[in-house]
Amino acid sequence: MSNAFVDKIRSYVPLQADDAEVLEAACANVRAIPARYDLIREGDKPGPVFVMLDGWACRYKLLPEGGRQIVAFLMPGDFCDMHVAVLDEMDHSIATLTPARVAMIPREEMERLIEARPKLTHAFWRTQLVDESVLRAWIVSMGRRSAIERVAHLMCELFARARNIGLVENDRCDLPLTQIVIADALGLTPVHVNRVLRKLREAGAMDDETGKLVITNPAQLAFVAGFDDNYLHRRSRRVA
Amino acid sequence: MSNAFVDKIRSYVPLQADDAEVLEAACANVRAIPARYDLIREGDKPGPVFVMLDGWACRYKLLPEGGRQIVAFLMPGDFCDMHVAVLDEMDHSIATLTPARVAMIPREEMERLIEARPKLTHAFWRTQLVDESVLRAWIVSMGRRSAIERVAHLMCELFARARNIGLVENDRCDLPLTQIVIADALGLTPVHVNRVLRKLREAGAMDDETGKLVITNPAQLAFVAGFDDNYLHRRSRRVA
DNA sequence: CGGCCCCTTGAGCTGGTTCAAGAGATGTGG
DNA sequence: CCACATCTCTTGAACCAGCTCAAGGGGCCG
């Protein structure tokens, strides 16, 4: 069975066989996690590093008044928390959105990898920088785009990322997101997300089966969103 | 003369004398830059790495329709663009807000540092992670906070960061920001920023001399914003 | 001195929110 | 296997935070 994490790292930096093996070995300890389960909570101290192997999750912060702001979506291959390995404590929480398989890499092993494998370290750093780039793009969306543009832009981002990891077939992509989750990610109300999605559905860009969203026309979404994928930094992607 | 960058790195990781010297030496090439000058533009290919030694700058992105979204403020000690050293091209631009002194570290020298000085690399990585943390906090602001809370929260962040680098005296802090810059950072209009600042002024939290903003009551700002500084990760800060 | 920013304030408008209510789904326990 | 609770989706109607448009004033620089 292929390892989404190893595949992702490999797409960032060409790996020698032994690097790949070491990385694979580090992912030996896999846990199955149910949906809507907190992997880490804000304030937690360093523990093992988590890596998504399967399923979706999100980073989020809770506000004192009870609101939730999602600040990132995690897909197979994504790191959960280099942060906590390097910083003092988590400044946000991470929860699964779907049932998930998560590799738990002991902190010491991660440190050993970083110490001994400069190629890997470099790749980790790059993933970090790309994550940061995505955060900047979110800020642009929230600051300067209308609700429909924001939704469309998020869909474009998720579509592009899903495609990179082989989750797109025939230009169609299923997203395991509720309207509430989208609202929490974009700073909108669920009610308004509902109205916006209706528009996108009427425009033929998306479809909507129970429990999941389906992107049916990514080109049109990109048009609505004014989407430019340069920030995902996939141009120099290794081709197999 | 002290070097803001070395001081910052030192506050993240205790440096041996030789690490500090090497870092200092890397900053030998300093350029004076006028205000409102683009240090790097979106799409630029890797060049030297810039470090702010003095003055303020901001990262920003332009939208097709002409709008601008500022996605970060840079103060003395901050890296400008590890990004471009590690990724393929810049996904945003950086411009000075004030006249600035900027150290230009040749890319090869930076790579040598990273190669040869694990302590420094670790510190660089940490600064990266803190930057990311700040981006997440911005997303929370833009998604879930009212205009006045957003302004107050930004002021709190800048105040805390300014204090960390010794720019605060008597609980007062000058910020070289126009209302237009604040609007571009928070996704508001300049008109509305003006009204919000009036409120904060009337509440005694800020003052407002021509050409600069002055924070006069950080505690009250923190109260308005619901500010919690944990995301700046300064708890474990080295003392002296 | 003239031009260009930036700041300020007013008045009306609107995109998105809030509140409310109902209809499917899904899950759960008896 | 049904009854009930819970959650998400949907739609309508009223409201409001922040926007747009407009106009005037002050400081700085060439």
Side-chain angles (χ1 to χ4, degrees):
Chain A
M1 158 145 207
S2 87
N3 177 318
F5 177 53
V6 177
D7 292 347
K8 174 174 172 179
I9 296 301
R10 180 178 277 137
S11 82
Y12 278 80
V13 173
L15 292 186
Q16 290 149 353
D18 59 336
D19 279 332
E21 277 166 31
V22 168
L23 204 54
E24 182 100 35
C27 295
N29 185 11
V30 177
R31 261 180 65 196
I33 312 276
R36 291 155 190 268
Y37 180 90
D38 272 339
L39 288 169
I40 323 177
R41 291 219 180 82
E42 183 163 354
D44 279 1
K45 303 295 178 196
V49 173
F50 296 151
V51 170
M52 301 297 298
L53 294 183
D54 213 0
W56 290 45
C58 66
R59 302 179 191 283
Y60 69 93
K61 283 189 171 228
L62 295 176
L63 289 141
E65 315 83 61
R68 177 173 75 154
Q69 177 67 44
I70 293 175
V71 294
F73 288 108
L74 301 175
M75 300 186 189
D78 291 340
F79 268 118
C80 288
D81 58 345
M82 280 319 287
H83 317 80
V84 86
V86 183
L87 295 174
D88 41 343
E89 68 173 49
M90 284 299 279
D91 55 49
H92 62 277
S93 306
I94 302 179
T96 55
L97 293 168
T98 67
R101 285 175 50 247
V102 175
M104 311 184 60
I105 308 178
R107 193 168 144 68
E108 313 78 49
E109 180 152 5
M110 184 52 81
E111 276 165 11
R112 228 177 304 126
L113 279 185
I114 290 173
E115 202 86 5
R117 301 275 168 175
K119 275 260 175 66
L120 291 183
T121 307
H122 194 248
F124 293 168
W125 200 343
R126 284 195 56 166
T127 66
Q128 197 72 38
L129 288 165
V130 172
D131 288 353
E132 213 186 292
S133 186
V134 170
L135 290 175
R136 282 191 292 268
W138 277 42
I139 290 175
V140 174
S141 267
M142 315 212 36
R144 293 289 171 224
R145 282 195 254 261
S146 68
I148 192 167
E149 289 167 342
R150 257 187 260 186
V151 172
H153 197 274
L154 176 61
M155 296 302 128
C156 288
E157 176 201 316
L158 297 178
F159 184 88
R161 290 173 56 194
R163 188 174 44 203
N164 283 336
I165 57 175
L167 259 40
V168 169
E169 282 174 33
N170 300 329
D171 243 28
R172 282 176 104 263
C173 175
D174 294 0
L175 310 173
L177 304 176
T178 66
Q179 295 178 1
I180 294 172
V181 166
I182 295 173
D184 281 348
L186 297 178
L188 301 168
T189 55
V191 173
H192 202 239
V193 167
N194 181 288
R195 299 195 228 267
V196 166
L197 283 177
R198 178 151 52 90
K199 275 193 196 162
L200 291 174
R201 205 183 317 137
E202 286 166 1
M206 306 199 51
D207 206 347
D208 206 313
E209 301 168 22
T210 55
K212 71 184 181 197
L213 284 170
V214 187
I215 293 173
T216 55
N217 191 341
Q220 181 157 14
L221 285 173
F223 176 72
V224 172
F227 185 73
D228 172 356
D229 73 348
N230 78 318
Y231 73 96
L232 294 171
H233 293 279
R234 301 299 293 188
R235 296 233 175 95
S236 57
R237 194 187 173 205
R238 231 170 64 88
V239 214
Chain B
M1 157 144 207
S2 87
N3 178 317
F5 176 53
V6 177
D7 291 347
K8 173 174 173 179
I9 296 302
R10 180 178 277 138
S11 81
Y12 278 80
V13 173
L15 293 187
Q16 291 149 351
D18 61 335
D19 278 333
E21 275 165 33
V22 169
L23 204 54
E24 183 99 37
C27 296
N29 184 12
V30 177
R31 259 180 65 195
I33 311 276
R36 292 156 189 270
Y37 180 89
D38 273 338
L39 287 169
I40 321 176
R41 291 221 180 82
E42 184 163 353
D44 279 1
K45 303 294 179 198
V49 173
F50 296 152
V51 169
M52 301 296 298
L53 294 183
D54 213 1
W56 290 46
C58 66
R59 302 180 191 282
Y60 69 92
K61 281 189 172 229
L62 295 176
L63 289 141
E65 315 82 60
R68 176 173 77 154
Q69 178 66 44
I70 292 175
V71 294
F73 288 108
L74 302 175
M75 299 185 190
D78 291 340
F79 268 119
C80 287
D81 58 346
M82 281 317 288
H83 315 81
V84 85
V86 182
L87 295 174
D88 40 343
E89 68 173 49
M90 285 298 280
D91 55 49
H92 62 277
S93 306
I94 300 179
T96 54
L97 294 169
T98 66
R101 285 175 50 247
V102 176
M104 312 186 59
I105 308 178
R107 194 167 143 67
E108 312 78 50
E109 179 153 5
M110 183 52 83
E111 274 164 11
R112 229 178 303 127
L113 278 184
I114 289 172
E115 203 85 5
R117 301 276 168 174
K119 276 261 175 64
L120 292 182
T121 308
H122 195 248
F124 293 168
W125 200 342
R126 285 195 57 168
T127 65
Q128 196 72 38
L129 287 166
V130 172
D131 288 352
E132 213 186 293
S133 186
V134 170
L135 290 175
R136 282 191 292 269
W138 278 41
I139 290 175
V140 173
S141 267
M142 314 210 40
R144 292 288 171 226
R145 283 194 254 261
S146 68
I148 192 168
E149 290 167 342
R150 257 187 261 185
V151 172
H153 199 275
L154 176 61
M155 295 304 128
C156 288
E157 177 202 315
L158 296 178
F159 184 86
R161 289 172 58 194
R163 188 174 44 203
N164 284 336
I165 57 175
L167 259 40
V168 169
E169 283 174 33
N170 301 329
D171 244 29
R172 282 176 106 263
C173 175
D174 294 0
L175 310 173
L177 304 176
T178 66
Q179 296 179 1
I180 294 172
V181 166
I182 295 174
D184 281 348
L186 297 178
L188 301 169
T189 55
V191 173
H192 202 239
V193 168
N194 181 287
R195 299 195 228 268
V196 166
L197 283 177
R198 177 151 54 89
K199 275 192 197 161
L200 290 175
R201 206 183 316 137
E202 286 165 2
M206 306 199 52
D207 205 347
D208 206 312
E209 301 167 22
T210 55
K212 69 184 181 197
L213 283 170
V214 187
I215 293 175
T216 55
N217 191 340
Q220 181 157 15
L221 285 174
F223 176 74
V224 172
F227 185 73
D228 173 354
D229 73 347
N230 78 317
Y231 72 97
L232 294 172
H233 293 280
R234 301 297 295 187
R235 294 232 176 97
S236 58
R237 194 187 173 204
R238 231 169 63 89
V239 210

